[in-house]
Amino acid sequence: MIPGGDFHPLLFALTAAWVLACGIGVVAFRSIVRSAVSMVLCFVGVAGIYALLYAPLLAIIQLLIYVGAISVVIIYAIMLTPAQSGDMRLFFNRQSLFALPLAIATALLLIFVLVTSAIPGVTSKAHGVSLKTLSDLLFNQYVFPFELVSFVLLAAVIGAIVLARREESP
Amino acid sequence: MSAVDWYLALATALFCIGAYGVLARRNVVLVVMSLELMLNAVNIALVAFATFIPASRAVDASKGQLFVLFVIAIAAAEVTVGLAIVIANYRTKRNVQADRFDEMKG
């Protein structure tokens, strides 16, 4: 049973507006705690986008990993570092005047490429992926990368502990 | 514009918002958060391509979603190590501002 169906313009527009509004909130809020809350809401919106793309497994993993785990790590980092206060130049660096035109120019370039190029082999009808096909691939053909990722995560955990551990005074 | 174009436009917009955050903000924790936004944008583009290909190529679509799983796992590793570096640097230098991370400048 493969999930699939049509493109829902209204649901997409609502979810995309949610994601973009929260994304702008992340980079625009002065308080970093507000940015973090905005980021969590943005991740929830991205999970909604995955659900609209008929990828329910990815939507659940997005909620578990990003909303559940990565957000907690980032909020811990916010708690362990001092919050800034003061005027605007403390929040944006000296290059920020160039950053906005650069970001807009990149967006325009990518949109231009998107509009002018015909992407071959895409359909207007959405086709999801059955969980069986996905797990077959993950645990047969891609089992070595899967195990490698677990090793990378182990190395990252050990590295994070070594880096962030408080040095014992002699 | 077809359906996949709308999703790619959303991914483009989110990517550039994240890029602006990486370039303009000073707090390193916020730079890491903006990086996560960029990674999410790339994931949206990958899933959009995986969803809007013909049903006869279901295995290819699965590979697209599988790649997103790997990206999410690597992003978790990246954010863990990145924030550990930020906290270690704050312990020694009392600094979380990106433009003062210049110990390795030649």
Side-chain angles (χ1 to χ4, degrees):
Chain A
M1 177 62 203
I2 296 176
D6 294 320
F7 174 61
H8 303 289
L10 185 64
L11 280 176
F12 171 76
L14 285 174
T15 321
W18 171 271
V19 169
L20 290 181
C22 293
I24 291 173
V26 173
V27 298
F29 275 129
R30 291 170 70 176
S31 157
I32 192 165
V33 179
R34 286 186 186 173
S35 291
V37 172
S38 189
M39 183 196 67
V40 173
L41 294 177
C42 182
F43 289 163
V44 173
V46 173
I49 291 285
Y50 290 157
L52 282 177
L53 281 167
Y54 302 97
L57 178 72
L58 286 181
I60 292 167
I61 286 179
Q62 170 85 9
L63 284 177
L64 282 177
I65 306 291
Y66 269 107
V67 181
I70 292 182
S71 303
V72 171
V73 174
I74 288 177
I75 287 168
Y76 261 102
I78 290 171
M79 280 160 50
L80 290 172
T81 54
Q84 287 172 314
S85 58
D87 56 5
M88 283 309 265
R89 67 189 165 79
L90 292 175
F91 297 96
F92 295 92
N93 60 29
R94 269 174 250 110
Q95 291 85 17
S96 62
L97 284 179
F98 303 103
L100 189 59
L102 200 63
I104 291 173
T106 313
L108 287 178
L109 178 70
L110 287 172
I111 294 284
F112 174 74
V113 171
L114 178 64
V115 169
T116 52
S117 63
I119 303 162
V122 293
T123 58
S124 60
K125 203 153 174 68
H127 296 287
V129 170
S130 74
L131 209 55
K132 188 178 179 303
T133 322
L134 202 60
S135 50
D136 266 354
L137 270 176
L138 185 60
F139 295 115
N140 288 320
Q141 191 183 346
Y142 287 92
V143 70
F144 181 66
F146 178 77
E147 296 295 340
L148 203 62
V149 160
S150 68
F151 187 72
V152 167
L153 283 172
L154 180 69
V157 167
I158 294 172
I161 290 172
V162 169
L163 281 170
R165 174 182 61 137
R166 196 185 293 276
E167 293 292 331
E168 284 162 28
S169 53
Chain B
M1 283 169 86
S2 66
V4 66
D5 289 343
W6 287 109
Y7 284 101
L8 292 179
L10 170 67
T12 302
L14 194 60
F15 184 86
C16 291
I17 289 170
Y20 172 73
V22 170
L23 290 172
R25 291 302 294 251
R26 243 188 180 163
N27 194 318
V28 187
V29 180
L30 220 138
V31 169
V32 172
M33 283 158 65
S34 303
L35 268 176
E36 295 303 312
L37 286 190
M38 292 169 80
L39 282 167
N40 267 284
V42 173
N43 283 348
I44 289 174
L46 282 169
V47 183
F49 277 123
T51 299
F52 291 101
I53 66 174
S56 56
R57 291 165 62 195
V59 176
D60 290 345
S62 307
K63 284 177 185 170
Q65 294 202 4
L66 211 58
F67 206 77
V68 173
L69 286 181
F70 286 126
V71 170
I72 289 176
I74 300 300
E78 169 252 326
V79 78
T80 315
V81 176
L83 291 175
I85 291 173
V86 170
I87 289 169
N89 194 64
Y90 173 67
R91 282 235 174 88
T92 53
K93 306 277 180 200
R94 298 280 140 190
N95 168 36
V96 286
Q97 300 206 344
D99 45 1
R100 290 196 201 146
F101 272 60
D102 54 3
E103 279 83 37
M104 294 176 77
K105 203 184 222 173

